[in-house]
Amino acid sequence: MILELVIRLFFGIVTLLLSLIPKIELPQNFLSFMGDASYLISFASYFLPIPTILACIAVIFVVDNIKLLMSIFNWIISKIPTIS
């Protein structure tokens, strides 16, 4: 009974937090913008290879996220009183 109460409380809090996230509505001309953007990227692909650019962006994204996770981990470790 107590475990069920704790689980219901947890799921209630999660549901409350998820309900606070607003709905995202795209503007009417979003699809035409994507068509225009892909048209411009097709011209850029003559000079820069798109798969290479995507690989570079992916590596930057992964490295930044690893740095963030490491800083969070180090912050948590620094809060433990016996570890300096």
Side-chain angles (χ1 to χ4, degrees), residues 1-76:
M1 301 262 314
I2 295 173
L3 181 62
E4 181 183 356
L5 178 68
V6 170
I7 290 173
R8 284 182 188 249
L9 179 66
F10 174 74
F11 281 116
I13 291 172
V14 169
T15 304
L16 175 72
L17 291 174
L18 289 177
S19 69
L20 293 175
I21 298 173
K23 287 185 178 179
I24 297 174
E25 295 181 14
L26 297 175
Q28 293 291 333
N29 295 330
F30 183 74
L31 292 178
S32 66
F33 166 73
M34 293 303 289
D36 294 340
S38 65
Y39 181 71
L40 289 175
I41 290 174
S42 69
F43 280 121
S45 68
Y46 289 120
F47 303 106
L48 301 168
I50 299 300
T52 304
I53 292 172
L54 291 177
C56 291
I57 291 173
V59 167
I60 290 170
F61 181 74
V62 167
V63 168
D64 282 345
N65 282 328
I66 289 173
K67 286 168 53 177
L68 174 67
L69 291 175
M70 286 301 295
S71 65
I72 291 171
F73 179 73
N74 287 335
W75 179 78
I76 291 171

